Amino acid sequence: MQQQEQARLERRRRDLMRKGMAVNQALVTLKANQNAKLLDLKLPHERKPGMTKEEKLRRFLDQIIRAQRSLGTDAYGICVDCQQPLPQAALDDTPWLEQCDGCAAKESTDF
Ligand SMILES: [Zn+2]
């Protein structure tokens, strides 16, 4: 079990690193006035509509960095809105997740 947890942690750490690099690369591409393809990055849903590509990327990068910092601590995997633990399967899929489905759904109906 301990070993399994360790493997899971390592996998998430690696996924976060990879994603962080991909988002960073997209930012560099954008800065060079080239057309960065954001679709492949599967950005988290927008909290504020009307953000520029760069703002979206920066926000995503911040989110990834926050996850990297909290990974392995009690603060990791907790919904930022309702403070409930996020499902492990969802975190395996997207280790940078910071909001549960319920809160995300509530938020998108606000607009
Ligand atoms: Zn929540």
Side-chain angles (χ1 to χ4, degrees), residues 46-99:
E46 286 174 51
R47 296 191 140 185
K48 286 182 239 159
M51 287 199 298
T52 66
K53 270 186 179 185
E54 184 174 344
E55 284 168 337
K56 286 183 207 176
L57 285 170
R58 290 203 179 284
R59 191 173 161 271
F60 192 16
L61 198 56
D62 285 346
Q63 186 175 337
I64 293 166
I65 290 166
R66 275 197 298 277
Q68 281 175 326
R69 288 199 181 128
S70 64
L71 190 66
T73 73
D74 290 344
Y76 179 77
I78 305 291
C79 173
V80 288
D81 290 329
C82 68
Q83 268 74 50
Q84 294 301 306
L86 299 168
Q88 292 299 319
L91 288 167
D92 281 338
D93 194 40
T94 46
W96 46 88
L97 195 70
E98 18 182 66
Q99 201 183 29

Side-chain angles (χ1 to χ4, degrees), residues 9-21:
L9 203 68
E10 283 307 315
R11 198 168 51 238
R12 286 177 183 170
R13 185 169 289 143
R14 200 191 50 219
D15 287 351
L16 282 166
M17 176 97 72
R18 217 178 267 161
K19 193 60 146 186
M21 278 159 58

